[in-house]
Amino acid sequence: MTPKHIMLGAAAALTLTLPACEKTSSDESEAVAPAAPAAAALPEITVTEAELRDNPFRREWTADFGVPPFNDIRDTHYLPAVKKGILEQRAEIATIVDNPDAPTFENTIVALDQTGASLDKVMKTFGNITNTDTNDTLSALESEIYPMLTRESDAISFNPALFERVQAVYAKRDRLGLDEQDARLLELTHRSFVRQGAALSPDAKAEVAAINAELSSLTTEFGKNLLLATKSFKIEVTDEASLAGLSDDFKNAIKVDGEDKWILTVDRSVYETFMTEGENRDLRKQMFDGYRLRASSGEHDNGPILIRIAQLRAKRAELMGYTSHAAYQLAPRMAKTPEQAEAFLVRVLEPALFRAKEERADMQALISDDFQLEGQDWWFYADKVRQARYAFDGNALKPYFEIGAVRQGVFDVASHLFNISFTLVPTDTWNPHVQAWDVKDSATGEHLGLFMADMYSRDSKRGGAWMSSFRNASNVDENIRPIVVNNLNITPPAKGEPTLLSYDEVETVFHEFGHGLHGMLTQVKYSTFSGVDGPKDYTEFPSQLLEHWADDPEVLAKYAKHYKTGEVIPLELVDKMNAAATFNQGFKTTEYIAASLLDLRWHSLSSEEAAKITDARAFEKQVLEDYGIPPEIEPRYRSQYFSHIFAGGYSAGYYGYLWAEILDADGFAAFKETGDIYNPELAAKLKKWIYEAGGMREADDLYRNFRGSDPTIEPLLKNRGFIEDKPSEG
């Protein structure tokens, strides 16, 4: 487990590996190490040979591709292996610190990068399994293990003798003759130490360590509460008439086997389908409230937890010398400051609100005077307006989007762009639904990585869609290739039925595979900045970019074929889909920006301001009113279930999806301008400077090397339907 990972504490459980790319101000970069007091004593950890006997994490994994031996791993194996890994990393750090030789790049920076391999091995598996197949035992282990990791992280960050060695190497960086990747590792290692507080006074370090420990427990508790609240909400329907409007395929998918009973949940795919198709307004209201009020009361109430998280983050940021957690977080990102991120969001919000008001008026006209449109009505009546205006029903697309064909479609796009191949291979897996593919360079036959896919929802799996890895790439002593996994939450079909996707789910498949390619194609030497790396407002770019190929007519003709007849999706249906593509974009953009602004406001608080907040909903309501968000439009995530920012790695960074859309819209426009969506010259630059480059350079530089210029916002606004195509002259 490299410093990049150990310093993240609980980050093994996050949607994406958090970036090591941390930019600091010049005065921070030149900070002088404090006088070296003794490092805080770590609690003793003991683990016996008996506890480690037959532990699969303590042996070499010999399966093809280095896949973990999932069939051999038991819940009882994790804690002893974690303890042993921690002890081994402590010894490795001590070896670096106690080295009598003068600090060098090799004996300090590279040595530090290589520490914690056995801990990384177990935590990669633990973090993935607790997200996909958790249980009460694993949930309890999270509460024990992640605080331990946070404590170890702080011990490394705050070790004055270690930082002194790092600082000594960094001070002579211009005289070491390092190549680009070596220099980048040195820069990011030093930057990470400073950003974690290595240059703080001993008292400040102790306070930051206490905050980190409490945050680790709170964020873990937030995530557990949300999972329990989400999975506990179920509506049992025994009268089929209550399901009027729903497709037979969907009703079959939620039907209880052998009974005239249907179960509605607030898993996202079930929720969105019901809210779009369900005619029963009272039932829509129950679903709407069940979804938006999750974890907001009772034993799973996240309100007090998230307030405390915001308070602790604000206090820590001030100790680090920043005005707020958002200021601290955005310093290394493309937006640079919370003010610039907010200004960007408000610029896009203005046309989005204008469009949303038009959409609301159209729906109210359809409803007439029967009742006033409310939040539970938006999805349903928006779809009715869309059908009336464009004669387009999204369900008509589903027979052309069978899951296997969609997956092959995204494989074909990647093969065409990057000259890579995918071969289905048998491997051990953590769940029977998981499949794996060997990814190779088509020209050389070189193995690039193993891609695994876990596509279906289940009660033990957290919601949403994400990419993660069981092993990162590196090439220090040997060429280690990554094991990457995409996780989705598609509703399993009825037994014997095919899995047919909505177009939103198709886009999600392409999106997460874009992350997967970013992880698999990496050609970076050090795992510290290999794979999915870069600031949060950049890391969504490689994934969102791939979405643009999903609905291109040339690509659709290859993979969108009727699952029964093999008929290619009719051009008429594609035209209707494209004509309706920007429909309801006012709502979609507003709900997203509302959540992003909530995130920024929670994390732009000073510690004094945060200390005054006692009611999370009252704060949230005020923020939404300040920006003029209509009450009919819920933010995409209310605070109490906003796991991206309170249990994941996106605090003060949720705006990054839209910021990255500046890049992906502008980037795909580059291909369209050439007249070839697979333009070889541009694809080669995309591969080299984006998918292979990891965090080898600053994000702005990587984008310019690919595109040849800075991005502009106009393609984003055009794609969302907020500006019209300019008529050609002449």
Side-chain angles (χ1 to χ4, degrees), residues 122-346:
V122 60
M123 285 310 303
K124 279 286 197 299
T125 305
F126 182 74
N128 277 287
I129 298 304
T130 52
N131 273 319
T132 61
D133 291 86
T134 195
N135 55 45
D136 291 344
T137 299
L138 292 177
S139 183
L141 281 174
E142 286 184 289
S143 297
E144 184 173 1
I145 287 174
Y146 285 127
M148 292 171 63
L149 292 184
T150 299
R151 187 174 59 235
E152 298 300 317
S153 166
D154 288 339
I156 294 173
S157 301
F158 299 153
N159 186 317
L162 181 61
F163 181 55
E164 187 175 24
R165 291 184 69 91
V166 171
Q167 182 82 343
V169 179
Y170 185 75
K172 56 185 179 184
R173 59 193 178 280
D174 294 334
R175 305 189 299 274
L176 298 178
L178 302 177
D179 66 22
E180 182 177 23
Q181 293 204 35
D182 290 348
R184 185 65 169 166
L185 177 64
L186 174 56
E187 176 190 4
L188 294 179
T189 301
H190 180 265
R191 181 183 295 180
S192 182
F193 270 91
V194 174
R195 292 272 298 169
Q196 295 297 324
L200 296 176
S201 69
D203 288 345
K205 287 181 184 179
E207 194 168 355
V208 169
I211 289 173
N212 289 344
E214 187 174 354
L215 281 171
S216 178
S217 296
L218 289 170
T219 54
T220 301
E221 186 178 359
F222 184 101
K224 292 197 299 186
N225 275 348
L226 177 55
L227 178 63
L228 291 170
T230 300
K231 298 307 179 183
S232 66
F233 182 88
K234 290 181 172 62
I235 298 177
E236 184 178 293
V237 179
T238 56
D239 180 6
E240 189 171 0
S242 297
L243 304 178
L246 301 177
S247 68
D248 289 339
D249 286 343
F250 180 71
K251 287 193 291 186
N252 289 337
I254 63 172
K255 191 174 186 298
V256 178
D257 288 343
E259 300 183 52
D260 289 331
K261 185 187 299 182
W262 297 262
I263 302 296
L264 292 169
T265 69
V266 286
D267 287 333
R268 189 72 183 184
S269 60
V270 173
Y271 175 76
E272 289 188 1
T273 301
F274 185 83
M275 297 302 289
T276 302
E277 300 177 0
E279 296 177 3
N280 187 316
R281 190 171 188 243
D282 290 338
L283 203 50
R284 287 205 310 272
K285 174 64 172 172
Q286 291 180 53
M287 288 287 284
F288 183 66
D289 287 344
Y291 186 84
R292 71 194 183 115
L293 299 179
R294 286 175 296 158
S296 62
S297 62
E299 61 178 323
H300 303 312
D301 186 1
N302 271 336
I305 295 173
L306 71 91
I307 290 173
R308 182 60 177 162
I309 290 172
Q311 292 169 342
L312 290 170
R313 286 173 173 170
K315 179 60 177 176
R316 184 178 60 184
E318 290 183 0
L319 289 168
M320 295 286 191
Y322 291 85
T323 57
S324 68
H325 180 70
Y328 170 78
Q329 289 288 81
L330 269 67
R333 297 179 183 171
M334 297 182 79
K336 309 302 182 191
T337 67
E339 292 76 18
Q340 290 197 65
E342 181 188 20
F344 162 67
L345 291 171
V346 170

Side-chain angles (χ1 to χ4, degrees), residues 702-713:
L702 293 175
Y703 187 82
R704 279 191 291 267
N705 287 338
F706 151 61
R707 183 67 162 100
S709 61
D710 288 322
T712 64
I713 197 174

Side-chain angles (χ1 to χ4, degrees), residues 7 45 85 111 124 152 172 242 260 278 342 348 371 425 439 449 462 490 510 555 579 632 673 688 690 693 718:
M7 287 181 179
I45 290 178
K124 279 286 197 299
E152 298 300 317
K172 56 185 179 184
S242 297
D260 289 331
E342 181 188 20
V348 183
F371 53 83
V425 292
V439 184
R462 74 172 177 85
I490 295 167
F510 274 75
V555 179
E632 302 89 353
E673 288 165 6
K688 177 180 179 180
I690 305 301
K718 177 182 173 184

Side-chain angles (χ1 to χ4, degrees), residues 26 44-45 104 197 258 312 349 370 373 407 409 429 445 512-513 556:
S26 58
E44 183 180 357
I45 290 178
T104 67
L312 290 170
L349 179 62
D370 292 348
L373 179 86
R407 185 164 46 228
T429 62
E512 296 305 333
F513 192 69
L556 284 168

Side-chain angles (χ1 to χ4, degrees), residues 725-730:
D725 284 326
K726 294 180 181 179
S728 58
E729 297 180 359

